[in-house]
Amino acid sequence: MTHRIVLPRMLETGAGAIRRLPAVLETLGCRHPLIVTDQMMVSLGHVELLDDVLGSAGMSCGVFAETEPEPSELSLLPAVQQLKDGSFDSIVALGGGSAIDSAKAIGVLGKHGGRMADYKVPRDVTEAGLPVIAIPTTAGTGSEATRFTIITDAESDEKMLCMGLAFMPLAAIIDFELTLTAPPRVTADTGIDALTHGIEAYVSQKASPFSDQQALSAIALLAPNLRRVYHNPDDREAREAMMLGSTLAGIAFSNASVALVHGMSRPIGAHFHVPHGLSNAMLLPAITRFSLPGAPARYAQCARTMGIATPKDSDTLANERLLDELQAINRELQVPSMADFGIEREKYVSLQGLMAQQALASGSPGNNPRVPSEAEIVDLYEQVWHQA
């Protein structure tokens, strides 16, 4: 069996790496990027910094700062038009996963046209869009190192999963200092998201020896540092570990795919506007419990890598500790129940069947070590409602 491994062409890592943007652009033969970002990055001064850094290198840029937290196709159209009107040769994505996902889609739509529905799975999109240089500011979605983007169809509330080489950034700048301003809620949600990426990549039916190494390395970095950065936002050592772990987890799941947690998470985000990392956190303990029989040895290895089980512990004991730890993380990081988040019970129940169908249509549940039926997914949605 062979495995195709897809990675960004360049990675710049370390404190202050953001100042390497002109050199990265120069290497890629680009000089006039459109910065795709959001208003928070403007208010924090990150966009101004990029403008100054580029200006000092004799480069000019445009700015589109209206990306949405859960990007819809409609939110991309003004940026696509700006891209066409401005003769830009590249896109710099600055922000969390939503900004990076938006930039990937804008690059493809700006070059090839059409609608995002034209690019969703099962299509494998290989036509290169404009070069994207991703600069993540959370640790995180790992989107800077993945061949995926997720865009919502506002008409159907479907979160469309799009994948292929077209959505892999050509370069990524991994500067952990950009995460120092992230508030505790964002730190928690994106951190659990990254941990979920590592775990799901490792237990995925599409896992390979390459993705296994990235996944386990990510888990080893993320698990011991997640609580540290939540309680101590200025802990630079922990922030750096989380940032590297997030990118490694992104590489892992980009090459092994995610599984049932993500398949069920996307419809929750689309219909109830729950941030992606938070909906993953709500689901992770229950879905892990359901999935354990399909890969007990692999889940046990996750527990050992997290440092909550020893090599001498049986797989059964290690998995019990894994479930306890996932629940403990949610309690300590104050992950709310769906009711506490404000989801309306009656609407949630009425949409469970549709959400189960949408989850299966995404393809992610098919990668799970235990593949669920539609009825089982409906039952899991109901189980999760009752968990705090």
Side-chain angles (χ1 to χ4, degrees), residues 359-377:
L360 286 170
S362 74
S364 298
N367 305 322
N368 209 55
R370 180 184 176 188
V371 178
S373 66
E374 184 178 322
E376 286 174 319
I377 293 179

Side-chain angles (χ1 to χ4, degrees), residues 11-352:
L11 290 172
E12 290 275 352
T13 68
I18 191 172
R19 297 183 178 277
R20 294 285 298 163
L21 177 59
V24 171
L25 286 166
E26 192 75 41
T27 300
L28 297 176
C30 303
R31 295 190 62 83
H32 186 44
L34 175 66
I35 298 174
V36 173
T37 187
D38 57 44
Q39 286 297 321
M40 179 59 70
M41 295 298 105
V42 174
S43 64
L44 289 172
H46 296 330
V47 174
E48 183 179 6
L49 172 60
L50 280 185
D51 189 38
D52 290 344
V53 168
L54 290 170
S56 297
M59 296 181 180
S60 61
C61 66
V63 177
F64 177 80
E66 306 303 327
T67 61
E68 297 179 345
E70 301 291 325
S72 67
E73 182 175 16
L74 287 176
S75 73
L76 308 178
L77 299 182
V80 172
Q81 191 60 50
Q82 185 177 348
L83 193 67
K84 292 177 179 178
D85 293 342
S87 300
F88 297 100
D89 59 14
S90 54
I91 298 174
V92 172
L94 174 70
S98 296
I100 298 174
D101 277 3
S102 295
K104 293 177 179 183
I106 291 164
V108 169
L109 290 176
K111 186 168 182 179
H112 300 291
R115 300 192 57 186
M116 285 311 300
D118 300 329
Y119 300 101
K120 71 177 184 178
V121 294
R123 181 176 175 184
D124 184 11
V125 187
T126 58
E127 311 94 305
L130 279 184
V132 172
I133 298 90
I135 307 177
T137 59
T138 61
T141 66
S143 188
E144 70 276 5
T146 76
R147 56 189 175 93
F148 303 108
T149 190
I150 299 171
I151 305 296
T152 300
D153 183 333
E155 296 177 2
S156 65
D157 274 339
E158 177 191 0
K159 277 199 169 186
M160 296 178 288
L161 174 63
C162 306
M163 70 176 186
L165 283 171
F167 300 112
M168 173 62 75
L170 281 191
I173 295 176
I174 316 299
D175 187 341
F176 76 88
E177 290 186 331
L178 297 175
T179 69
L180 292 171
T181 53
R185 183 74 267 144
V186 172
T187 296
D189 295 346
T190 56
I192 296 175
D193 188 21
L195 182 61
T196 305
H197 292 153
I199 293 172
E200 288 209 299
Y202 189 65
V203 302
S204 169
Q205 293 194 41
K206 293 182 179 178
S208 69
F210 178 89
S211 64
D212 284 351
Q213 294 306 308
Q214 313 309 311
L216 292 175
S217 294
I219 292 168
L221 287 165
L222 295 164
N225 289 292
L226 183 50
R227 290 178 171 88
R228 283 177 61 180
V229 293
Y230 179 73
H231 294 297
N232 301 291
D234 297 327
D235 187 332
R236 292 173 62 87
E237 181 181 55
R239 287 283 191 188
E240 185 170 22
M242 290 294 294
M243 196 64 155
L244 178 57
S246 173
T247 298
L248 290 172
I251 292 171
F253 89 79
S254 182
N255 289 285
S257 295
V258 286
L260 182 56
V261 174
H262 277 74
M264 291 179 61
S265 176
R266 296 185 198 105
I268 293 173
H271 292 287
F272 300 103
H273 307 293
V274 181
H276 174 67
L278 183 57
S279 58
N280 276 350
M282 292 172 170
L283 290 163
L284 185 57
I287 304 310
T288 301
R289 182 179 296 278
F290 170 84
S291 304
L292 274 172
R298 289 211 154 224
Y299 279 109
Q301 185 58 44
C302 289
R304 296 183 183 105
T305 303
M306 292 170 70
I308 55 174
T310 71
K312 294 182 179 180
D313 291 331
S314 67
D315 287 354
T316 299
L317 178 57
N319 286 329
E320 289 174 0
R321 290 180 173 172
L322 175 62
L323 293 173
D324 289 343
E325 176 69 358
L326 296 179
Q327 292 170 334
I329 288 173
N330 278 8
R331 285 194 300 270
E332 188 167 338
L333 274 56
Q334 300 183 45
V335 174
S337 67
M338 294 197 179
D340 289 339
F341 183 82
I343 293 176
E344 181 186 341
R345 169 69 178 165
E346 185 176 346
K347 182 179 179 182
Y348 181 78
V349 172
S350 71
L351 287 172
Q352 285 177 357

